Amino acid sequence: MTATTQNVALVTGASRGIGRAIALKLAEDGFAVGVNYAGNAGMADQVVADIEANGGRAMALQADIGDAESVARLFDTMLETFGRLDAVVNNAGILQMAGITTDNIEVLDRALATNLRGSWLVMAKAAETLSEGGRIIALSSSVLARSFPGYGAYIASKAGVEGLVKVLANELRGRDITVNAVAPGPVATDLFFQGKSDEQVESIAAMAPLERLGQPKEIADAIAFLAGPQGSWINAQVLRANGGFA
Ligand code: NDP
């Protein structure tokens, strides 16, 4: 085990999109970073290379967050490699659009498996592992307030995440560990663009008073605030980083 005095963060789903930006930002803020991914090893390796090129420390770690054994292995490897863990950002998530019909029940099952079961597993392991001063941050979504057709499975899974965050904050009473969620509005990533026409993208982008999509970096900045020294008194909150979208 290589013990370190450097703060250490685990970011799930950090091979691309918002997770990638979070990993880069936390590394910039001085954290050694575990860069988790599901299947895109090459992209995760590139995030690690980008962090190392800036003088930081990082490692790519494959694990499906919906699988309990994989999540346990993920945390074991983090501790073996870095010797400590200070912040866990459960960012990995999926979005598949589907109406609420009998035929679409598998879409709900998939959304719950990754977004909700995955959040449970990662946050539970974070709660077991983190010591005093630890930070747990989960990703929800501002689309909860909009209830758009087709978002039923996704919204159900993210509403569950917001519930878990508040309960876990209470369960960790006395441990000096904060538990919060960040709920982005529409952000320019694969997850958002997939399956949308240019017109749909434009109309959603125009909904917020700021009249544009968010950038991954803008969500990473909110998360770095919660993970850093300035976020110490913020607990059991859902921070809606969304340009005023909802
Ligand atoms: P992307 O689709 O761009 O990236 C998803 C990331 O999650 C990838 O790194 C992917 O890994 C990883 N991932 C997916 N499934 C799993 C799994 N089972 N186990 C481990 N990793 C997994 O998504 P975004 O960056 O847009 O989204 C990040 C988070 O932000 C999600 O929780 C999403 O719901 C939330 N969010 C996004 C919004 C947006 O508009 N983009 C708005 C509101 C919330 P790999 O590359 O290996 O597939």
Side-chain angles (χ1 to χ4, degrees):
M1 187 184 290
T2 322
T4 175
T5 52
Q6 188 179 17
N7 280 344
V8 177
L10 169 64
V11 184
T12 67
S15 46
R16 51 202 168 91
I18 294 170
R20 175 180 187 277
I22 296 167
L24 294 173
K25 172 65 182 162
L26 292 181
E28 198 181 296
D29 288 356
F31 285 85
V33 184
V35 175
N36 161 253
Y37 65 98
N40 281 310
M43 297 185 88
D45 287 343
Q46 188 56 54
V47 175
V48 170
D50 290 347
I51 289 172
E52 288 175 345
N54 285 330
R57 193 166 169 223
M59 179 175 54
L61 297 155
Q62 194 284 332
D64 173 358
I65 61 157
D67 179 71
E69 278 180 24
S70 303
V71 171
R73 184 171 36 80
L74 176 64
F75 277 77
D76 286 349
T77 311
M78 282 300 293
L79 285 181
E80 277 162 22
T81 306
F82 297 111
R84 59 185 284 168
L85 190 56
D86 302 279
V88 173
V89 184
N90 188 50
N91 161 82
I94 56 167
L95 165 63
Q96 195 181 348
M97 309 283 292
I100 302 173
T101 67
T102 309
D103 288 351
N104 285 336
I105 189 65
E106 285 174 8
V107 176
L108 176 68
D109 290 344
R110 279 194 290 273
L112 295 181
T114 298
N115 298 353
L116 186 54
R117 181 184 160 85
S119 294
W120 178 290
L121 290 170
V122 171
M123 293 201 298
K125 207 69 195 153
E128 276 174 35
T129 311
L130 291 172
S131 47
E132 261 185 28
R135 308 287 167 83
I136 300 173
I137 302 156
L139 268 284
S140 178
S141 170
S142 281
V143 82
L144 258 70
R146 290 282 184 160
S147 306
F148 293 139
Y151 278 79
Y154 183 73
I155 285 178
S157 69
K158 294 296 190 179
V161 171
E162 293 193 12
L164 293 183
V165 160
K166 296 190 177 194
V167 173
L168 186 58
N170 283 329
E171 290 183 355
L172 295 183
R173 171 178 291 274
R175 299 252 324 260
D176 190 19
I177 295 174
T178 66
V179 189
N180 293 290
V182 170
V187 176
T189 68
D190 297 344
L191 177 142
F192 173 74
F193 288 122
Q194 198 172 28
K196 293 188 177 75
S197 66
D198 289 351
E199 293 71 33
Q200 284 172 316
V201 168
E202 262 173 48
S203 102
I204 295 172
M207 284 177 181
L210 294 188
E211 295 188 313
R212 64 173 176 81
L213 297 178
Q215 294 302 317
K217 167 86 169 66
E218 295 178 290
I219 306 305
D221 285 343
I223 283 166
F225 165 66
L226 293 172
Q230 292 169 322
S232 57
W233 187 237
I234 300 175
N235 191 23
Q237 302 301 313
V238 179
L239 174 54
R240 304 201 179 279
N242 61 20
F245 173 79

